[in-house]
Amino acid sequence: MTLLGGLDYASVLVFAAAGSLAASRAQLDIVGFAFVACLTAVGGGTIRDLLLDRSIFWMANPTIILIAVSVALVVFFTAHLLESRLKTLEWLDALALSVAVSAGTGVAILEEQPAVIVVLLGIVTGVMGGLMRDVVCNEVPLVLKQGELYASAAFAGACATLLATRSGLSPLLTLAACTALTFALRAGSI
Amino acid sequence: MTLLGGLDYASVLVFAAAGSLAASRAQLDIVGFAFVACLTAVGGGTIRDLLLDRSIFWMANPTIILIAVSVALVVFFTAHLLESRLKTLEWLDALALSVAVSAGTGVAILEEQPAVIVVLLGIVTGVMGGLMRDVVCNEVPLVLKQGELYASAAFAGACATLLATRSGLSPLLTLAACTALTFALRAGSI
Amino acid sequence: MTLLGGLDYASVLVFAAAGSLAASRAQLDIVGFAFVACLTAVGGGTIRDLLLDRSIFWMANPTIILIAVSVALVVFFTAHLLESRLKTLEWLDALALSVAVSAGTGVAILEEQPAVIVVLLGIVTGVMGGLMRDVVCNEVPLVLKQGELYASAAFAGACATLLATRSGLSPLLTLAACTALTFALRAGSI
């Protein structure tokens, strides 16, 4: 598995958990959990792939959907054990955002897009899954709440990934550092 | 006309009626009726076709848009005669869901997608049109209401269509039986 | 630059301003402004290009994103000077709608689509950016408010553009007249 492929898996895992918690707050049934988990997990990457006109990352690899559904099943049976689903959701979402921004930026760099587009696709990949989840679940989108460094954290992470790649840093180091940066900014405002 | 093409027509017809009723509840003007009717009628199939990277089913065949618009006009002048627009909307939506799930699953099988993707695309085709209608019309999405077997009915219908096709049942019988199954599950929870 | 390219720029400029005002009403931070400005500015045209399966107009030309971001920055520092942000937003949105409908219809005619599809894509290009802005910003979509000739103005503009082109009017005159028609209809109902 490539590094970027691994990042896609990681963000799917964490976004699916965040999506399932949103489904839990909306008191959906078990298929509703799986539906919202998949929407959150693959939403941002799907829009990235549609815009880049490349094949959708999970169509070529249905395992990704199975991972999201498995996470939804686990959360369905354990969500009631959490003290605060909203707090956990926000932390998971912050983690998924960080990983997804790095993954989205990395793919756009691979596709040799200009800098502006690379940064924008990084933000889109990170932000859109959670945004669709919130719109579908009738919650105020996290990206919109005042005082939350949401789009800003994604923007900083995408810029840093781009700069580090252009300056020749190793991919592993780049992605690790930029994920950490996005997460630190976002987590600092929760 | 092929069987699948006919199903697409049928789901457009019924979804357009459901969309027009939502427009009526939101007290839109006549073009607003047509807009919401088209969004509901072709929304799910459009996302399916974008994901599959095939040509959008209604771009190649504008008659589909004309059907949706005609339905919107008829509903515009008759909606006030209904006793309960919400109840009628839910029943029409259940019928359209059933037909669209079969149509979406059928197309994905034709495109030789793996089983997981087939089921997912069946659900997407069935659910997304109504979901976009509800988001745009500021209603709580039907797919989210508690106690409604919405995504679950779509899931069961898509699985049944896949199983029946794999076991060699005739297409006509498969699609009829699976539409009936989805409808029974969904209607039972209205 | 072609005439249609120029129209795309103009609608991006005005839609970005309207989107930034919506961000201001939602009290977002500066990156939030840029995000909503871009979503509003390129949303409708992006859906048009996805449906037509042509390359997305701003992916090939990142200047468009820079324009939208610049507008967002200017509005971020000046929005508080406005007497009524809602009133200004509605007027800017009306102007952007008019320009975008002409641009969308023009592109669909160039791609030699049938009449029904041309009109539909004109409406989609004009309406979808503002619709996504309103859904994301938790406002009641302008396209849905009663007594507002929103979709109707877009419909009339798209039909007029199509008729004028078919009857051989010069492109410049066609686009100017049809933009004026859409704007007059929409502005009359504000």
Side-chain angles (χ1 to χ4, degrees), chain A residues 27-29 31 46 58 62 65 136, chain B residues 114 116-117 120 144 146 151-152:
Chain A
Q27 302 189 271
L28 301 188
D29 66 10
V31 182
T46 302
W58 52 268
I65 299 298
V136 166
Chain B
V116 179
I117 303 294
L120 195 78
L144 274 182
Q146 294 164 45
S152 303

Side-chain angles (χ1 to χ4, degrees), chain A residues 119-120 122-129 131 141 143-144 150-152 154-155, chain C residues 16 19-20 23 28-43 65 68-69 72 132-133 136-137:
Chain A
V119 172
L120 195 79
I123 298 177
V124 161
T125 312
V127 165
M128 282 299 185
L131 183 56
V143 71
L144 274 184
Y150 201 92
S152 303
F155 175 69
Chain C
S20 306
L28 301 189
D29 66 9
I30 197 166
V31 182
F33 267 66
F35 181 75
V36 177
C38 290
L39 183 71
T40 314
V42 305
I65 299 298
V69 171
M132 289 198 278
R133 174 198 64 209
V136 166
C137 289

Side-chain angles (χ1 to χ4, degrees), chain C residues 7-22 36-45 68 71 89 92-101 123-131 133 142 150:
Chain C
L7 272 185
D8 265 345
Y9 276 102
S11 88
V12 162
L13 198 81
V14 192
F15 262 138
S20 306
L21 283 176
V36 177
C38 290
L39 183 71
T40 314
V42 305
V71 170
L89 194 165
L92 284 173
D93 188 86
L95 188 56
L97 174 75
S98 319
V99 178
V101 165
I123 298 176
V124 161
T125 311
V127 163
M128 281 301 187
L131 183 57
R133 174 198 64 209
L142 278 176
Y150 201 92

Side-chain angles (χ1 to χ4, degrees), chain A residues 105-106 109 159-171 174-175 178:
Chain A
T105 313
I109 292 174
C159 288
T161 310
L162 181 65
L163 288 178
T165 306
R166 291 273 157 94
S167 61
L169 218 64
S170 89
T174 300
L175 294 174
C178 297

Side-chain angles (χ1 to χ4, degrees), chain A residues 14 35 43 50-51 55 74 79 97 104-105 136 151 157 170 173 176:
Chain A
V14 192
F35 181 75
L50 282 176
L51 293 176
S55 65
V74 172
L97 174 76
T105 313
V136 166
S170 89
L173 213 63

Side-chain angles (χ1 to χ4, degrees), chain B residues 132-146:
Chain B
M132 290 197 278
R133 173 198 64 209
D134 292 339
V135 166
V136 166
C137 289
N138 263 343
E139 308 231 12
V140 178
L142 277 175
V143 71
L144 274 182
K145 283 202 188 138
Q146 294 164 45

Side-chain angles (χ1 to χ4, degrees), chain C residues 80-160:
Chain C
H80 63 283
L81 302 175
L82 291 172
E83 229 170 273
S84 162
R85 285 172 298 181
L86 182 57
K87 219 63 202 159
T88 316
L89 194 165
E90 289 196 352
W91 281 95
L92 284 173
D93 188 86
L95 188 56
L97 174 75
S98 319
V99 178
V101 165
S102 294
T105 312
V107 167
I109 292 174
L110 264 190
E111 300 267 338
E112 305 191 332
Q113 296 292 322
V116 178
I117 304 294
V118 166
V119 172
L120 195 78
L121 288 178
I123 298 176
V124 161
T125 311
V127 163
M128 281 301 187
L131 183 57
M132 289 198 278
R133 174 198 64 209
D134 293 338
V135 166
V136 166
C137 289
N138 262 342
E139 307 231 14
V140 177
L142 278 176
V143 70
L144 274 183
K145 282 199 188 142
Q146 294 165 43
E148 312 265 344
L149 286 176
Y150 201 92
S152 303
F155 175 69
C159 288

Side-chain angles (χ1 to χ4, degrees), chain A residues 20-21 43-44 47-48 61 74 77 100 169 177:
Chain A
S20 306
L21 283 177
I47 296 182
R48 173 197 66 196
N61 185 359
V74 172
F77 290 110
L169 218 64

